[in-house]
Every structure is written in structure tokens, then in C-alpha cells.
Amino acid sequence: MATAKLYLDKRAKRQDGTYPLKVTISHKGKTSHIPLGLFLRADQWDGRACKVLNHTNKVFLNSFIQGRLSEITAAMLELKSQGAFAGRTITQVRDLILAKVEPDKPAAGFTAY
């Protein structure tokens, strides 16, 4: 079963000291990431609670993040129930999820990390 978790990617520090927030998709021991387009400092992210802290827009950001995670999780459950993950790589699974969540965006622009 594929799972989705939030992940502050501290491997990719930007010049302003922020890191990208991503959704990590795991399936059969492999992982891939879906960027959320949000960038936070390490002290603004509580990894255990998966919430934004110490940010002026924390209420909005937490709502956005949870909404996006819910969309991705719902898409994963629907695709899994249809048997769409069978025999697919993690990159293909991620692209299927993105196609479901963002049908207007081409999946080719996303890469596995």
C-alpha cells in the first residue's frame, strides 16, 4: 500500500535559509516526492505534529497543507482500489497520483528525488 507523509527537505537549503516542503510517496520500499511549492525555515516546521509554527500565515498554511495532503491521500486510495499501482514503479505511481490531483498539469515536469 502506498503512503503519503509530509517532509521538510533539509537537503535543499535555499539562499534565504528556507527548505521546500514536500509530500513523500512511499510504495514497496521506494519513495518519491511531490513538491507543495512552500518553503519554510527549520524552526517554522514541527515534523512530529506536521504543522507550521512561528509563521505569520500559519493558519492558512496549515489548512493548505492538510487540504493538499487529503487530496493526495484520496487519490491514492481511489487508484489503489482500482488496482492502478500493480506492477508500477514509484515514479509511475507518483505520476498517476499527480494526474488525478492535477489533471491540467503535465506529469513530465515532475522528477523523483
Side-chain angles (χ1 to χ4, degrees):
M1 171 69 186
T3 60
K5 295 181 182 180
L6 294 168
Y7 171 64
L8 187 65
D9 190 356
K10 293 184 180 177
R11 302 169 300 169
K13 187 174 183 178
R14 295 173 20 150
Q15 288 183 346
D16 63 359
T18 61
Y19 303 94
L21 186 64
K22 300 176 180 182
V23 175
T24 299
I25 305 295
S26 300
H27 181 63
K28 294 185 178 181
K30 303 289 183 182
T31 61
S32 186
H33 302 283
I34 298 173
L36 294 178
L38 299 176
F39 299 90
L40 301 168
R41 291 189 323 261
D43 67 330
Q44 294 174 323
W45 180 248
D46 182 348
R48 291 184 186 179
C50 294
K51 289 189 175 188
V52 176
L53 307 172
N54 305 322
H55 192 285
T56 56
N57 293 322
K58 70 181 179 182
V59 173
F60 170 77
L61 291 173
N62 284 322
S63 294
F64 172 80
I65 292 164
Q66 289 306 313
R68 192 76 168 128
L69 184 61
S70 293
E71 288 175 13
I72 291 168
T73 302
M76 283 177 25
L77 291 172
E78 185 177 341
L79 290 165
K80 175 70 175 166
S81 70
Q82 296 170 355
F85 295 164
R88 301 208 187 250
T89 66
I90 188 61
T91 304
Q92 292 168 329
V93 168
R94 184 208 53 220
D95 290 345
L96 284 172
I97 294 166
L98 284 171
K100 187 85 172 157
V101 174
E102 300 173 348
D104 297 335
K105 286 189 176 180
F110 296 92
T111 57
Y113 296 99

